[in-house]
Amino acid sequence: MATRVLIVDDAVFMRTMIRDIFTEAGGFEVVGEAGNGLEAIERWKELRPDVATMDIVMPFKSGIEATREIVRLDPRAVVVMCSALGQESLVMEAIEAGASDFIVKPFRGDEVVAVVRKVLGRA
């Protein structure tokens, strides 16, 4: 059974890139995308994916705020932050909000797949 993925990023090109990474890796099904934190929460409730990739800086609600709310709604939620902002304070804030791991952009496709498989215990 494929791992169901929700991709959250305000940049269309980044969502497309992440979608291509999971499609090429095999074993993943991208079930949805969201372009901001508010949409991410709604898509999580609707789709209940196995994992979400989450940008930090987005309009309406940040990825950290969205992660905090998703984890509050679903304590078993698995969210991997993907951001160009790799400062230690932001990484810690993301983890405290409930993120399972953190990937700093730019990243390689195999890194993304490896981190997602690791946090899901499928490495």
Side-chain angles (χ1 to χ4, degrees):
M1 187 165 154
T3 299
R4 302 174 72 244
V5 181
L6 171 64
I7 299 169
V8 184
D9 200 302
D10 61 332
V12 173
F13 80 94
M14 189 57 68
R15 293 198 307 267
T16 301
M17 187 172 103
I18 295 171
R19 173 184 286 275
D20 290 347
I21 288 169
F22 287 118
T23 300
E24 290 171 16
F28 295 93
E29 177 188 4
V30 176
V31 294
E33 298 181 13
N36 63 63
L38 288 176
E39 190 180 357
I41 295 164
E42 293 308 310
R43 300 294 282 169
W44 184 278
K45 289 184 209 173
E46 170 192 347
L47 301 168
R48 294 291 176 167
D50 298 313
V51 63
T53 63
M54 181 81 68
D55 190 15
I56 288 182
V57 179
M58 294 186 292
F60 308 119
K61 188 170 278 216
S62 77
I64 290 175
E65 293 169 315
T67 297
R68 187 173 290 119
E69 195 161 328
I70 287 169
V71 170
R72 188 177 313 124
L73 292 167
D74 181 358
R76 295 183 302 174
V78 177
V79 178
V80 175
M81 305 303 289
C82 296
S83 178
L85 306 173
Q87 296 99 334
E88 187 175 332
S89 62
L90 277 178
V91 173
M92 292 306 298
E93 189 177 352
I95 298 298
E96 287 171 6
S100 300
D101 211 328
F102 198 103
I103 301 170
V104 178
K105 296 175 185 172
F107 45 70
R108 294 188 331 261
D110 59 336
E111 290 177 284
V112 175
V113 171
V115 167
V116 167
R117 286 185 173 144
K118 181 188 79 175
V119 298
L120 292 172
R122 299 175 187 169

